[in-house]
Amino acid sequence: LVSKFYYLQVASWEKSYQPKWAKMDILQWAKSYHNTDNNLMVKRLAGKGQRSPTNHLDLMRAKRTIRQRMIVGVMDEMGESIHRFNTVMGINDETENNHHKCMKQYFGSSGKGNRNRKANSNSYPKIEKGHPAWDYLAEKNKFDIKLYEFVLELFEEQREQIDSYARALLS
């Protein structure tokens, strides 16, 4: 949500561009009617509307949906995540020319966490745990945070599954 807040202040090419947000601070925005995305991932995966309240049952539905239907990726492990997606889709990321072009365009020369600027990225001040806006958003998005923690665990669980699948493709 923090990224969205800052990105939509400058993204004039987006339909959801919000230049008026540039006059707000992050806490003011978080507490305003502009912030309607609380627990959005849980809501979407549980089949609920954007303004619907969420509960523990919705979180369980979202987790089940992810576990049964998705290969998860993690931004901090982008290279590994892309490799897993490619494996499952049958893309050989070592020899596919288009793969290398795409990785270079969006992630720099190697796609493995180098310092080149990513495509469609926007720098903004980091909001740390303990900051009033972080604390407020964390409370309003507690189910999405729990879902994220689940995805991190699932990412590790899926490692062996993907590796096994890749070995089977090679044999």
Side-chain angles (χ1 to χ4, degrees):
L1 291 173
V2 174
S3 176
K4 172 187 172 179
F5 168 70
Y6 287 108
Y7 176 73
L8 289 179
Q9 291 176 21
V10 297
S12 57
W13 55 91
E14 298 281 358
K15 283 191 340 188
S16 51
Y17 173 53
Q18 298 292 332
K20 62 185 173 255
W21 290 2
K23 295 180 175 120
M24 304 172 87
D25 68 39
I26 184 69
L27 182 59
Q28 183 183 13
W29 172 81
K31 291 182 173 183
S32 76
Y33 69 91
H34 298 289
N35 176 24
T36 60
D37 289 349
N38 295 323
N39 291 307
L40 185 62
M41 292 309 301
V42 168
K43 289 176 185 177
R44 288 201 172 160
L45 291 165
K48 296 187 95 173
Q50 186 172 7
R51 297 193 186 267
S52 301
T54 49
N55 57 43
H56 190 69
L57 182 59
D58 298 323
L59 175 61
M60 300 313 296
R61 285 182 181 130
K63 286 180 177 181
R64 184 183 65 226
T65 299
I66 290 173
R67 181 177 295 283
Q68 292 177 349
R69 298 176 180 254
M70 298 179 189
I71 302 298
V72 298
V74 177
M75 292 288 291
D76 291 342
E77 298 277 351
M78 187 59 76
E80 172 67 17
S81 298
I82 299 284
H83 173 73
R84 291 180 186 194
F85 301 146
N86 288 347
T87 298
V88 171
M89 292 186 294
I91 298 170
N92 181 340
D93 58 3
E94 296 303 320
T95 59
E96 291 285 334
N97 191 33
N98 287 338
H99 165 79
H100 290 293
K101 287 179 187 175
C102 180
M103 293 297 285
K104 187 174 182 180
Q105 178 182 354
Y106 286 98
F107 304 111
S109 61
S110 72
K112 299 196 186 243
N114 62 41
R115 295 179 185 175
N116 294 344
R117 182 169 164 84
K118 297 174 188 163
N120 202 24
S121 68
N122 182 46
S123 60
Y124 54 87
K126 189 167 183 161
I127 306 299
E128 302 280 347
K129 192 173 192 173
H131 184 286
W134 195 99
D135 295 340
Y136 183 84
L137 288 167
E139 176 58 32
K140 291 292 185 180
N141 292 279
K142 63 186 173 196
F143 293 114
D144 270 6
I145 290 172
K146 289 178 190 248
L147 185 65
Y148 174 72
E149 291 165 351
F150 168 77
V151 165
L152 292 177
E153 292 172 14
L154 186 59
F155 184 77
E156 290 307 316
E157 288 176 26
Q158 288 180 344
R159 183 179 308 275
E160 179 54 35
Q161 293 173 321
I162 301 298
D163 290 347
S164 174
Y165 182 75
R167 284 190 301 272
L169 287 176
L170 295 174
S171 40

